[in-house]
Amino acid sequence: MHFIVTGGAGFIGSHLTEQLLSEGHRVTVVDNLTTGRLENLPKHPRLRFIQKDILICEPEDFTLKVDGIAHLAAISSVTESLYRPLEAHHNNLSATLAVIQLCQALTIPKLVFASSASVYGNLSQLPISEEQKTSPLSPYGLQKLVSEQYASMFAKQLGFSFVGLRIFNVFGPRQVPNSSYSGVISRFVDIMQRGLPITIYGDGNQTRDFIYVKDVVKAFAQALKTNITPGSSLICNLGTGKSTSLVQLIDILKNHFPQWQSEINFVSPRLGDIQHSQADISRISSCLDFHPQWSAESAINFFIASSLKNNDNYSKPRLTLSA
């Protein structure tokens, strides 16, 4: 099969590309390299790379029949969406419409979209199911929600199937720790390695459903391959179903960095941040037969051990641009 991955040189996208290649599929990656990195991609005979913004891609850019598209290209930051809302709208919501137009032009039968748990806002009832009210607190969350609605509407009109995966707190290799887009685990690991103080926005008791990137991309691959009725839509949470507080997270990390003796600074919560998060994953388990293989603690332990060995797969041959 042949799949397009938008944002395929980024954190999650590059892992998804590797997952699909390992399963024997052909992959075309579209990435403008604003946040993605070319060295994230392996050299592979079944991989084609297009350095282009998905907003200006044309049907003529794709010469082979496409069996599905995974849309991950986005500005993945709540903070950025608040301070640069027009740019975030352009790169998130408008980009989704561009992908939908490609589905129509190329008769792509399936679209799998990287949505976000931020569509829910600050819900008090846990775990969070897909049936609960959506009330995003940021432009980013709103853009993800409206992207789902656009895709669901056009899927029915154009006859492709749509899967929206509401990702909770993903982490793993290639998540750049000093980026505003990065998750808290990557940032905390980087800070502890450098012996610096940690800043927590809030009291540290806020919880997150941390899911390892390897589990995330297996869910995406499964969604791309699962037969879903043309014209229908499926929205699923993508998490582990368990939550960890930031204070608990620091305790786990301290086991790996006993030399870290710096302080923890608690400051006011940031605008748009939620207090608690935990996914109900019963729907994705039943509809896509997805079951996370990593607990948060086991994945954190593996991730840190791999990072300390500098074994983030960068020793492998990587893709380079050609004329």
Side-chain angles (χ1 to χ4, degrees):
M1 301 179 80
H2 173 219
F3 299 112
I4 296 172
V5 179
T6 74
F11 164 44
I12 301 175
S14 62
H15 285 283
L16 176 57
T17 297
E18 289 184 336
Q19 177 68 31
L20 293 172
L21 289 171
S22 73
E23 296 176 1
H25 303 295
R26 188 178 295 274
V27 180
T28 297
V29 165
V30 179
D31 200 303
N32 63 10
L33 299 183
T34 299
T35 57
R37 299 168 60 187
L38 201 59
E39 56 265 37
N40 285 344
L41 294 173
K43 286 184 177 179
H44 199 287
R46 294 194 307 275
L47 173 61
R48 180 183 175 220
F49 175 72
I50 300 175
Q51 184 177 351
K52 200 170 185 179
D53 195 311
I54 191 61
L55 281 156
I56 58 172
C57 276
E58 301 290 343
E60 295 76 21
D61 293 325
F62 307 94
T63 56
L64 299 176
K65 176 181 176 294
V66 182
D67 297 290
I69 181 166
H71 178 38
L72 292 98
I75 292 181
S76 302
S77 169
V78 167
T79 304
E80 291 293 319
S81 75
L82 285 162
Y83 292 110
R84 295 191 292 167
L86 188 59
E87 183 178 349
H89 178 99
H90 185 67
N91 286 283
N92 293 346
L93 194 53
S94 297
T96 300
L97 284 171
V99 168
I100 291 170
Q101 287 186 319
L102 273 182
C103 288
Q104 180 180 23
L106 297 172
T107 321
I108 300 174
K110 180 177 289 181
L111 166 59
V112 179
F113 172 63
S115 189
S116 168
S118 62
V119 303
Y120 294 114
N122 221 343
L123 296 180
S124 57
Q125 182 181 339
L126 299 177
I128 300 168
S129 78
E130 295 87 352
E131 302 301 325
Q132 286 178 250
K133 179 183 176 182
T134 53
S135 184
L137 301 177
S138 66
Y140 172 74
L142 181 61
Q143 289 150 12
K144 290 294 187 181
L145 180 60
V146 177
S147 288
E148 290 179 4
Q149 295 169 340
Y150 264 130
S152 296
M153 180 182 70
F154 279 108
K156 182 180 292 186
Q157 292 183 1
L158 302 177
F160 63 84
S161 60
F162 170 65
V163 180
L165 298 179
R166 292 175 175 172
I167 307 172
F168 279 64
N169 292 80
V170 59
F171 71 98
R174 302 180 202 147
Q175 194 173 35
V176 183
N178 58 0
S179 165
S180 61
Y181 307 105
S182 288
V184 66
I185 291 177
S186 295
R187 290 201 300 271
F188 282 4
V189 168
D190 180 61
I191 287 169
M192 285 186 166
Q193 283 180 311
R194 294 190 287 156
L196 301 176
I198 286 177
T199 297
I200 290 181
Y201 295 90
D203 61 7
N205 291 312
Q206 60 266 49
T207 58
R208 298 293 182 264
D209 188 333
F210 294 111
I211 181 168
Y212 196 45
V213 67
K214 297 295 186 183
D215 274 334
V216 168
V217 300
K218 285 182 180 178
F220 269 83
Q222 187 70 6
L224 284 167
K225 296 175 295 180
T226 299
N227 289 326
I228 297 173
T229 305
S232 65
S233 299
L234 175 66
I235 303 295
C236 294
N237 289 333
L238 181 48
T240 64
K242 301 183 184 301
S243 61
T244 305
S245 73
L246 296 190
V247 171
Q248 289 173 323
L249 172 61
I250 289 176
D251 286 339
I252 294 171
L253 295 178
K254 280 180 179 179
N255 293 327
H256 294 274
F257 303 102
Q259 76 282 4
W260 183 79
Q261 299 295 329
S262 236
E263 61 184 354
I264 301 174
N265 298 316
F266 295 93
V267 298
S268 298
R270 292 175 298 189
L271 185 65
D273 278 354
I274 63 172
Q275 184 64 20
H276 296 293
S277 183
Q278 180 186 355
D280 179 338
I281 59 172
S282 55
R283 181 182 291 180
I284 195 170
S285 299
S286 61
C287 294
L288 296 180
D289 193 27
F290 170 75
H291 308 277
Q293 301 300 302
W294 297 84
S295 68
E297 186 164 0
S298 65
I300 290 168
N301 291 338
F302 179 79
F303 170 49
I304 294 175
S306 300
S307 298
L308 293 178
K309 291 178 182 177
N310 196 26
N311 190 28
D312 191 12
N313 290 325
Y314 288 112
S315 60
K316 296 180 181 179
R318 295 284 145 184
L319 190 69
T320 55
L321 279 174
S322 57

